[in-house]
Each structure stands twice: as structure tokens, then as C-alpha cells.
Amino acid sequence: MRVLGIETSCDETGVALYDTEHGLLADALYSQIAMHADFGGVVPELASRDHTRKLLPLIQQVLDDARLSRGDLDGIAYTAGPGLVGALMVGATTAHGLARALDLPVLGVHHMEGHLLAPMLEADPPAFPFVALLVSGGHTQLVAVKGLGDYRLLGESVDDAAGEAFDKAAKMLELPYPGGPQVAKLAESGDPGRFRFPRPMTDRPGLDFSFSGLKTHTLTTARALREAGELDDQGRADIARAFEDAVVDTLVIKCRRALDETGLKRLVVAGGVSANRRLRERLDAELTKRRARAYYPRGRFCTDNGAMIAYVGAQRLLAGERDADAMRAVPRWPLAELTAPTIAS
């Protein structure tokens, strides 16, 4: 089954073509980072307009790269949520319009399910069951995964997501947008011994996260250095290192607890923050000691992309799931509301 995947949940237009027998055939991504940089964050109306301009050309590019035509498609999947409602509507209307014109089944896919299963696109994918750490700009969650759609939430952030905290720390350090990668880059030259920031909610049982206090601690430290005239390049790097170490340690501690609680030996790490080098190094070292293993998507599939949507859509379409006539655009959509497919292909 060949499925076209469309991702337009925020500021990246992603398109991909996935074949259930041959794997990923082609994918393309257009990022709006440069357009939003002057505003220091995503402007929803501009994002929607740009998706409208870029989506159809990207679809044609992916078909050309795969040396296929629209008539070779067997289904279409699109991101139905969560995300920016205007951006979601662009993908939803395009998907339903194409599906109607080509008489194909179409299905709205959960954005975070796409991230959760992105490692399935790799040559050595994880087997079910596993624990998943979903860590991005909008989500920080630990999920026990038994199979497609069979998810149990173990813990989540009670305030800021880890990626959101990275972005806010970047603003405090006067770093350019997008902030998260800038903080990680700056941290490489930071002194790990100058500051030690708190590891929030690790001194109590449980698997929930909180990063708002860490954000406040970062702001207080930056202000103190600024008032002392010491917020120079090295001062910013030292704060970035302390912040990154605190986030990474917190995520590693919680992942260790989740594996202990479930008794599982496989950990999937996905979402934008999963590309963080220090996080991967720490998790790999920790899991090696436990005779366990972490699985990650390749770099370009850590952030939003069409390939993960095409993959999830293909699995669910193959199982018989379909949208009704109405398209879906759901800005808020808890992952826990998903269920396993119940209709046999």
C-alpha cells in the first residue's frame, strides 16, 4: 500500500511517500524558520499561508522523486492534530481534496503518534512493547507502548515542555530563533562546574516533569551575571551548559524510573529534543549499564516531517481505518485518546 503523508501542524511543511512493502520511497521538507526568525517565534497566520504555497509543489516533488504519479497512490494521510488550527486546516483540506479527486481513502493522523513511531522508519526498528519518551517543544511525556494505538501515559510535564524550556532559556540568553539548538550549541563551550541548576521533581517519586522552576532559576542566574557585568560569551555558555545538564539529567532519571516501573528494556526517544547530542550520550550510557537499548529516529526525522505521518497513516489505513466525509483539524488532542485499530484489512 502506497500512502502519501502530509505534515502541516506548525512551521514545517513535510510530505513523504511510504510503501508498506518497500518502506520509505521519498520525502521532502520545507522549513519556515527563516520566515519566523524576525518575530522570535511562529506567527500562525504566516505559517498557514506558507503551507498553502509550498504543499502542492512538495507533493509533486515527492512523486517525481519516487518516479510515481498520483494514480499510483493507494491512500493519503495527514496530520489532524495537535497543532496550529490554521496550519492543520491546510493539510486537511489538501488531503481530502486529493482523496476525493482520486477516489482514495484518507485518514487524519495524530502528530505525536507520528513522532512516537518515527524510529520504525529505521533499518533496525524497536519491537513492541517499549517505553517512549516524547520530548519536543510542545510535549514531554513518558508512554508505555504495547502496540499501534495501545498507549498508557506514565508521566508528563505539568507545565513547560522540555523543548519549550530550551526556547525560553535561549531568549534569556539573547540567542537567535530557534532557541533550543542554539542553547545546545552554546553549551558545548560551557564550564560544567561553574553552576549547578536544580533537577526538578527528581527528589520525589513519580514520572511527571516540571521545567518552569528550572526556567526561573536560569532567568535569576542570567540577571545576576548581567548585574555583575559578567554576562559575556563565557557566562552565557556556562549558563547554557548548566541548563542543558539539568534538563538531560532530569530526562534520564525519569526514563530510568519508567523502565524500572514497566520492566521493559527498550526505550524510544522521539521529538525535536531527541536530536540533542548530550541527551543521547547519557541515555546510551545509562541503558548500556542496564543491558537495555535506546532507539532514535535519524536526525531529519526528529523534528516534524511527512515520513512519520505517512508511516502511521499507512499502518492504520492498512488496518481499515478511514476518515468519514468530514476532515479533521484538532488543535488539542491527547495521545491517550487514541485506540488500536479494530477493523481488519
Side-chain angles (χ1 to χ4, degrees), residues 102-126:
L102 299 171
D103 193 25
L104 294 175
V106 60
L107 180 66
V109 168
H110 194 290
H111 179 75
M112 295 312 295
E113 184 174 36
H115 278 302
L116 188 153
L117 297 178
M120 296 298 188
L121 293 162
E122 303 306 318
D124 184 19

Side-chain angles (χ1 to χ4, degrees), residues 224-235:
L225 286 191
R226 185 176 290 107
E227 291 171 0
E230 298 177 3
L231 193 60
D232 52 13
D233 290 346
Q234 188 59 51

Side-chain angles (χ1 to χ4, degrees), residues 211-230:
F211 294 105
S212 63
L214 178 58
K215 176 188 65 180
T216 301
H217 193 90
T218 304
L219 178 61
T220 301
T221 305
R223 282 177 176 172
L225 286 191
R226 185 176 290 107
E227 291 171 0
E230 298 177 3

Side-chain angles (χ1 to χ4, degrees), residues 187-205:
E188 293 295 327
S189 57
D191 178 359
R194 183 174 182 184
F195 301 111
R196 178 174 173 80
F197 286 4
R199 276 59 173 162
M201 295 185 71
T202 58
D203 58 350
R204 67 190 78 172

Side-chain angles (χ1 to χ4, degrees), residues 15-297:
V15 178
L17 188 56
Y18 184 83
D19 188 310
T20 53
E21 293 184 8
H22 303 288
L24 185 64
L25 302 181
D27 69 283
L29 182 72
Y30 177 80
S31 174
Q32 301 175 358
I33 285 176
M35 181 177 69
H36 296 292
D38 290 342
F39 303 96
V42 177
V43 181
E45 184 174 349
L46 294 180
S48 301
R49 290 179 181 179
D50 210 50
H51 287 310
T52 302
R53 286 192 292 265
K54 297 297 191 300
L55 187 50
L56 288 178
L58 281 179
I59 290 173
Q60 190 58 53
Q61 177 185 329
V62 165
L63 289 170
D64 290 344
D65 289 346
R67 297 182 179 180
L68 296 172
S69 69
R70 294 181 184 182
D72 295 313
L73 298 176
D74 299 308
I76 301 175
Y78 65 95
T79 300
L84 302 174
V85 66
L88 293 170
M89 286 294 293
V90 175
T93 54
T94 302
H96 270 261
L98 281 174
R100 180 71 63 90
L102 299 171
D103 193 25
L104 294 175
V106 60
L107 180 66
V109 168
H110 194 290
H111 179 75
M112 295 312 295
E113 184 174 36
H115 278 302
L116 188 153
L117 297 178
M120 296 298 188
L121 293 162
E122 303 306 318
D124 184 19
F128 296 116
F130 53 78
V131 170
L133 171 66
L134 299 178
V135 56
S136 67
H139 298 80
T140 304
Q141 298 178 322
L142 280 164
V143 183
V145 180
K146 289 186 177 180
L148 178 67
D150 191 348
Y151 310 132
R152 177 169 63 92
L153 183 65
L154 301 174
E156 62 184 337
S157 178
V158 299
D159 42 56
D160 293 349
E164 182 182 5
F166 264 101
D167 289 340
K168 290 180 178 178
K171 289 185 178 181
M172 297 172 197
L173 297 175
E174 302 171 352
L175 300 176
Y177 173 86
Q182 298 291 337
V183 172
K185 181 178 179 181
L186 186 61
E188 293 295 327
S189 57
D191 178 359
R194 183 174 182 184
F195 301 111
R196 178 174 173 80
F197 286 4
R199 276 59 173 162
M201 295 185 71
T202 58
D203 58 350
R204 67 190 78 172
L207 295 172
D208 285 336
F209 303 87
S210 171
F211 294 105
S212 63
L214 178 58
K215 176 188 65 180
T216 301
H217 193 90
T218 304
L219 178 61
T220 301
T221 305
R223 282 177 176 172
L225 286 191
R226 185 176 290 107
E227 291 171 0
E230 298 177 3
L231 193 60
D232 52 13
D233 290 346
Q234 188 59 51
R236 288 187 176 88
D238 294 343
I239 291 175
R241 178 60 185 267
F243 173 84
E244 183 183 54
D245 283 347
V247 172
V248 168
D249 282 354
T250 300
L251 294 174
V252 171
I253 290 168
K254 297 289 184 169
C255 286
R256 185 171 64 226
R257 290 182 185 177
L259 292 172
D260 286 341
E261 179 178 301
T262 60
L264 296 173
K265 294 291 187 179
R266 290 181 289 271
L267 175 71
V268 159
V269 188
V273 182
S274 70
N276 182 278
R277 182 187 63 80
R278 204 176 308 279
L279 175 61
R280 292 193 178 203
E281 289 176 351
R282 287 289 316 283
L283 282 172
D284 287 342
E286 178 68 27
L287 268 64
T288 296
K289 290 189 297 185
R290 304 165 67 87
R291 296 183 180 178
R293 180 179 170 186
Y295 295 82
Y296 313 92

